[in-house]
């Protein structure tokens, strides 16, 4: 935290403490002499990291929390509320409900049931679990580009998982989906709006009618891509899919991916609040004081950080989820940065452009005659860029997703390693000239 942030936190902590004026004071001296060396050691240990917070980090999906989220989170630590039940987190549970309502509003749900989770994995697990409970079993269908959590969680739930093929952009093949639905015994189709590897967008508007005709639920995994609902305009593929999100049975969005939140903040939302009955349980010891619905009654996880809800609520208060608003403009900058980087790669001497970006992830190859050499060169570029403080990611791309864009490549392997940039930070657009300059240098150094 910088000086202003520290001051703001101190001011807010004083205000919070004023809220409990009648409590007798508790003495608790901070043992500065013992704590200080521990914290300095922690700082040194944390230094062994890629600089995720910096705009020259364009590797994995990492986006620093907004200062207001960090301060609100730290403030909540004075209370350390537990959003399992109103007994443990009355105010923060209310803030969680309001934050979830804002996400539901963004999706367009008229009614909803939902809550925050530890992340996208648990959120997806809940959506699949509800699908299983309602259908009484059945298979889960998702594309080969869907997050691995779906096959893994299907296993946890004892549900069979079947993979649907994708087109050259990594989008679910709807004809293959139709054929798989024909085979029957399906509980749920998972559509991904924004795949983790390339930001591909499944054609949700085509998936929905197929699934409806088969009487099957549709779950949308938008853990990474969900917020782009606010900035979907400008590309018809993107626009159509995001417009259809309102018809999904359940949606997962991770505020800790694109929503400027610290880790430990996913969300699952259901369009029909009646699915709450699936969660029914009788616990004798948690709820005594409340007549409202406990979030713990509609969540698989028991204890959950109230601080996550507080941080998200504060962020939404500052940056409401409005198309055309400040937060949406930040997403727009990321989309523009991705388009600009893709255009630069198209002209670059040492790189090969692959599918054009649908969101803010750009994937491209390092030029070579054969796949094996292209993979080695991509790894060399990764290292050469890191030496210049530019931090990229590597991605294993199956032949079918690379070949249509890279017809001259000779295939001596089934996969090719390529480079991947996540331009998730708003600053990335301004930093793009430096990013491409360093990337150009890294590429040239591997000739
Ligand atoms: C990140 C991601 C997940 C997993 O979410 P976690 O928050 O990491 O548990 C699931 N699906 C998609 C599409 C993702 O991008």
């Amino acid at each position: 935290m910088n000086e202003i942030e520290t001051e703001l936190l101190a001011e807010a902590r004083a205000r919070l403490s004023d809220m409990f004026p009648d409590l007798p004071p508790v003495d608790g001296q901070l043992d500065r002499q013992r704590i200080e060396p521990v914290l300095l050691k922690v700082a040194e240990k944390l230094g062994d990291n890629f600089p995720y917070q910096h705009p020259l980090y364009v590797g994995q999906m990492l986006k620093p929390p907004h200062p207001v989220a960090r301060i609100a989170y730290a403030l909540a630590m004075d209370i350390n509320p537990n959003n399992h039940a109103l007994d443990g987190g009355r105010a923060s549970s209310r803030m969680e409900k309001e934050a979830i309502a804002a996400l539901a509003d963004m999706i367009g749900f008229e009614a909803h049931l939902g809550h925050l989770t530890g992340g996208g994995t648990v959120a997806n697990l809940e959506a699949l679990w509800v699908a299983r409970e309602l259908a009484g079993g059945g298979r889960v269908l998702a594309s080969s580009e869907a997050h691995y959590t779906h096959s893994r969680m299907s296993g946890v739930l004892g549900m069979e998982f079947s993979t649907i093929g994708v087109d050259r952009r990594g989008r679910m093949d709807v004809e293959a989906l139709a054929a798989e639905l024909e085979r029957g015994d399906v509980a749920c189709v998972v559509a991904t709006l924004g795949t983790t590897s390339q930001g591909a967008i499944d054609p949700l508007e085509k998936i929905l009618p197929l699934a409806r005709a088969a009487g099957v639920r549709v779950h949308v995994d938008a853990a990474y891509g969900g917020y782009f609902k606010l900035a979907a305009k400008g590309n018809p593929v993107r626009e159509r899919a995001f417009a259809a999100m309102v018809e999904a049975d359940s949606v997962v969005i991770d505020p800790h991916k694109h929503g400027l939140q610290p880790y430990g903040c996913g969300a699952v939302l259901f369009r029909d609040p009646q699915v709450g009955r699936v969660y029914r349980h009788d616990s004798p010891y948690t709820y005594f004081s409340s007549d409202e619905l406990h979030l713990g009654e509609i969540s698989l996880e028991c204890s959950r950080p109230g601080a996550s809800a507080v941080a998200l609520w504060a962020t939404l208060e500052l940056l409401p989820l409005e198309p055309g608003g400040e937060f949406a403009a930040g997403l727009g900058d990321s989309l523009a940065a991705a388009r600009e980087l893709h255009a630069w790669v198209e002209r670059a001497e040492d790189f090969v452009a692959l599918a054009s970006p649908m969101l803010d992830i750009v994937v491209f190859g390092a030029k070579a005659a054969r796949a094996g050499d292209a993979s080695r060169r991509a790894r060399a570029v990764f290292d050469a860029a890191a030496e210049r403080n530019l931090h990229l990611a590597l991605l294993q791309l199956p032949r079918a997703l690379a070949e249509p864009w890279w017809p001259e490549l000779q295939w001596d392997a089934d996969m090719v390693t390529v480079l991947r940039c996540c331009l998730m930070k708003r600053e990335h657009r301004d930093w793009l000239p430096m990013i491409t300059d360093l990337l150009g240098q890294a590429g040239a150094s591997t000739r």
Side-chain angles (χ1 to χ4, degrees):
M1 278 190 196
N2 65 27
E3 209 174 308
I4 298 175
E5 290 170 12
T6 315
E7 275 173 33
L8 288 169
L9 175 58
E11 203 182 318
R13 287 186 76 193
R15 174 69 58 91
L16 175 57
S17 150
D18 287 348
M19 301 295 288
F20 302 95
D22 305 325
L23 286 177
V26 181
D27 33 85
Q29 267 294 350
L30 209 57
D31 192 342
R32 183 177 182 137
Q33 282 195 334
R34 286 177 60 215
I35 293 177
E36 190 171 11
V38 174
L39 285 176
L40 294 178
K41 211 185 240 176
V42 169
E44 281 166 26
K45 287 202 170 280
L46 282 174
D48 180 25
N49 258 321
F50 290 117
Y52 308 113
Q53 70 283 8
H54 196 275
L56 286 180
Y57 183 87
V58 290
Q60 307 294 342
M61 286 178 180
L62 291 139
K63 183 170 174 173
H66 193 282
V68 80
R70 285 195 300 208
I71 298 169
Y73 198 102
L75 177 63
M77 285 297 96
D78 281 13
I79 303 263
N80 194 27
N82 182 344
N83 274 18
H84 166 56
L86 297 178
D87 273 352
R90 196 167 59 218
S92 49
S93 292
R94 231 176 271 137
M95 290 160 110
E96 174 164 344
K97 286 180 186 173
E98 289 181 35
I100 288 290
L103 288 174
D105 226 36
M106 174 179 80
I107 296 167
F109 283 170
E110 277 177 21
H112 70 274
L113 186 82
H115 60 89
L116 299 179
T117 63
T121 301
V122 184
N124 279 318
L125 168 68
E126 290 200 19
L128 298 183
W129 174 68
V130 164
R132 186 195 73 178
E133 294 301 295
L134 293 176
R139 293 184 293 152
V140 173
L141 307 183
S143 90
S144 52
E145 287 290 294
H147 198 276
Y148 70 88
T149 184
H150 296 289
S151 60
R152 181 184 278 181
M153 289 306 165
S154 298
V156 170
L157 292 166
M159 300 169 87
E160 201 188 315
F161 178 84
S162 309
T163 300
I164 311 292
V166 292
D167 69 10
R168 62 195 189 136
R169 293 185 175 275
R171 312 172 66 211
M172 184 186 281
D173 176 345
V174 280
E175 278 170 31
L177 172 65
E180 203 58 53
L181 285 167
E182 283 278 308
R183 285 184 47 215
D185 191 31
V186 178
C188 184
V189 177
V190 177
T192 306
L193 296 196
T195 58
T196 315
S197 60
Q198 297 198 79
I201 296 173
D202 285 342
L204 182 60
E205 75 286 2
K206 295 184 186 140
I207 293 168
L208 276 160
L210 288 174
R212 293 280 177 258
V216 165
R217 281 176 77 81
V218 174
H219 169 61
V220 168
D221 182 0
Y224 146 69
Y227 284 102
F228 283 103
K229 174 83 169 75
L230 298 172
K233 287 218 157 58
N235 175 303
V237 167
R238 195 167 66 205
E239 224 171 304
R240 281 195 290 267
F242 276 97
M245 194 152 73
V246 62
E247 290 171 55
D249 296 296
S250 50
V251 176
V252 160
I253 298 176
D254 268 1
H256 71 201
K257 284 263 177 72
H258 241 307
L260 297 163
Q261 297 310 297
Y263 281 111
C265 194
V268 60
L269 294 99
F270 297 93
R271 186 165 52 90
D272 177 7
Q274 292 303 317
V275 302
R277 69 183 187 274
V278 171
Y279 288 87
R280 269 255 152 83
H281 67 100
D282 295 301
S283 160
Y285 36 78
T286 32
Y287 330 114
F288 298 112
S289 71
S290 49
D291 35 21
E292 284 184 67
L293 180 74
H294 279 290
L295 289 164
E297 284 175 71
I298 52 151
S299 166
L300 284 184
E301 290 169 280
C302 192
S303 294
R304 290 177 311 112
S308 291
V310 171
L312 181 57
W313 189 94
T315 310
L316 294 171
E317 181 80 356
L318 186 74
L319 302 169
L321 301 177
E322 293 158 354
E326 187 182 338
F327 178 73
L331 298 175
D333 283 347
S334 284
L335 292 176
R339 281 195 305 273
E340 287 163 24
L341 178 58
H342 180 75
W344 179 87
V345 170
E346 284 181 318
R347 300 186 306 268
E349 228 174 294
D350 299 298
F351 301 113
V352 180
L354 302 172
S356 56
M358 281 292 139
L359 296 175
D360 58 9
I361 302 174
V362 184
V363 168
F364 53 98
K367 265 184 200 163
R370 272 186 285 273
D373 291 331
S375 296
R376 271 184 289 279
R377 190 170 184 200
R379 286 190 289 272
V381 170
F382 176 91
D383 291 334
E387 280 166 24
R388 291 164 175 81
N389 266 324
L390 177 69
H391 299 280
L392 312 166
L394 293 167
L395 174 70
Q396 298 283 343
L397 209 57
R399 178 173 176 171
L401 291 182
E403 200 167 23
W405 315 100
W406 202 345
E408 64 280 13
L409 190 67
Q410 295 161 36
W411 289 89
D412 55 355
D414 300 334
M415 308 271 271
V416 61
T417 305
V418 296
L419 294 151
R420 170 170 169 267
C421 291
C422 292
L423 299 161
M424 296 176 83
K425 295 168 194 144
R426 184 162 198 185
E427 300 77 28
H428 277 144
R429 192 175 189 190
D430 285 342
W431 282 72
L432 208 60
M434 187 180 287
I435 290 169
T436 49
D437 185 38
L438 294 170
L439 200 50
Q441 289 178 31
S445 78
T446 61
R447 272 177 210 159

